[in-house]
Every structure is written in C-alpha cells, then in structure tokens.
Amino acid sequence: QVHVVTYQDTTNELTVDTIAEHDGEIWSMAAHPVDTDVFATAGPSAEDPGAHKCRLWRIEGDGLEAVSDLSSEKPFKAVRSILWDSQNSNKMVVIDSENIRLFDGACNSPSSIATIGAGTIAHCGCWDPHHVNLLTVAEGQSLRCYDLRQSKVAHDRPNAHHFAVRAVDHNPNVQYNVVTGGEDAVMKFWDLRHLERPLQVLQGQHTHWITSVKFNPCHDQLVASSGTDCLVNLWHAPSVASIPLGGVDRKTKHQPDRCVKTSAEHEDSVYACCWSPADAFVLVSISYDGKVVLSHVPPDLKYSILL
C-alpha cells in the first residue's frame, strides 16, 4: 500500500488522506521534486524472479495510475535508491546493488542514457546539490563520487567505515561536504576533495546500523540520523556547518558537536528520516512496522539558531 499523509501544523497531528493499493512489495520510493502527485517505486518483479521493477505512478483520487516503467538493457537487481534531480525533474538515477543508471525524460517516456557499474555492492546515493553532474554513492565500505558526464569516479575513499556505509547526504550549504552513516553505528563528515581523514566523527548514540542521515535543508548545523536500534537522533554540529553571512557565528563557534535529542518512539528498525520542506524544524521518520513519527527541534535550540 501507498499512504498519503498530511501534517496539520495547527493541531500537530498526522492524518492519512489516501490509501492506495500497490502491486507488490516496495523497497524504495521517491517523490517527484515538483509534481506532488507523481512518485516512483521499486520492488521485486512478479514476472521476473530475482529482478526488480521500477515504475512511475500518479495519484488519482483514492487510487494509483501507472505512468511509465523504467527499463534498461540489464534488469534491475536489488534497487537501493531512486533519486530525482532536483534541478532537472526530467532526470533521475536508479541505484541497484550492481549498477548506477541515469534516465532522461522521466515523466514521459523515460530512457536510460548511462549505466555505470558499481565497484562493490551499492547501498545508497545522493545527488550533489552544488554540481549537477556529480553523484555520491555508498558502495560496501567505500564512499565514491561519480562524474556522470564521463561515467567515471571523481573522488574515492575506500574503507570509509569499518563496515558497510548505509547512508550518505550532501551538505546543502557547503560544497563537497557530505555526511555518512554505517553499520558500525558511526557518523562521519567528509570533504570529498580531501578524503584522507574525516572532518568530524560522531558516535555513541546509536548501538546498531545507521540507516539514514540528513542535513537540515536550511540550517546545516542540524543533522538527523536513524537506525536499526529503533532510534532517531538529532545532532547539533556547528563545527561542520557553513559560516553565516557576515562572518563567524559567535554563538555557536565554540559549542561542541553533540546529540541534542533522541526519539525512542519507534518499536522497530527505523529505515528513513527526512526534514519537512515547509518547516525547517520538523522531522519525520518511518520504521519497518510502518509507524510514522513526527518530531520537532527543541525550542531552545530552535530560537538560538533563529535569534
């Protein structure tokens, strides 16, 4: 099933507006960056056991209308990520365990325009918001950045974590800066141009795999993480944040990076968290059992950032 959920900020409630049936299990889902009624899903194919199927959908009333299927020369394996290009909504990338595939004309007649073989098992990826042709991918224990124009690796950091890297996200305000989370329960911040050592390492709040890491889209000193330990953590990391206009932020310059809030409302592994595009201080997470939890940045931290 696909559920469309609405957040009522006046009552601080989540309501389910639409429940639509989906043909088969969903492994990955991504909303269109412009058209709120269009989204993409990927999951096991009923026609081809062992392969995955990627399809675009449009919400029509209380049901779903199939828009088009994504296909390429080789069938999809285990699809890990579907990524829309936020600067060109006709382009998208599908990352499965073996390949990185770039599609064009995504909303009409999508066609595969490039395929890059992953060096090891790919787990996730993220578009570079500052450079439209760069894509950062977590492969096994490694962190790799691909130049899609030449279909080659631009930056590479083998053994970025002790175990597999399960999450990656770009800082929206600082070029080349990314955060990763791994099966070693550690978060690391990197400059892709200097990958000899991480900029910062944060640990101790997760006790199992980290499955998702997200920079706040407006205030990059706020970073969210979720994990298979059923926890969602909110971090305040001024040391890796951008410098505000006008120079150094004296209020946060000497503050240590730390976890400011832990949400333990989930009862199962949390596989995704994301920030609200409408309210920069609202965070949503979802766990394996389908539970959705909405949380807020603590008021004292929120106002210390704003004022």
Side-chain angles (χ1 to χ4, degrees), residues 19 122 202 300:
I19 301 177
L202 298 177
D300 56 341

Side-chain angles (χ1 to χ4, degrees), residues 128 131 133-139 142-149 152-158 170 175-178 190-196:
D128 185 334
H131 306 92
N133 295 305
L134 296 183
L135 182 78
T136 303
V137 180
E139 298 180 14
S142 301
L143 178 65
R144 292 192 173 98
C145 181
Y146 288 91
D147 188 333
L148 299 178
R149 294 167 296 187
K152 70 175 187 180
V153 176
H155 308 285
D156 186 13
R157 178 54 164 93
H170 269 269
Q175 296 186 51
Y176 301 106
N177 278 24
V178 301
W190 305 87
D191 183 334
L192 292 175
R193 300 164 297 180
H194 308 285
L195 287 169
E196 299 83 10

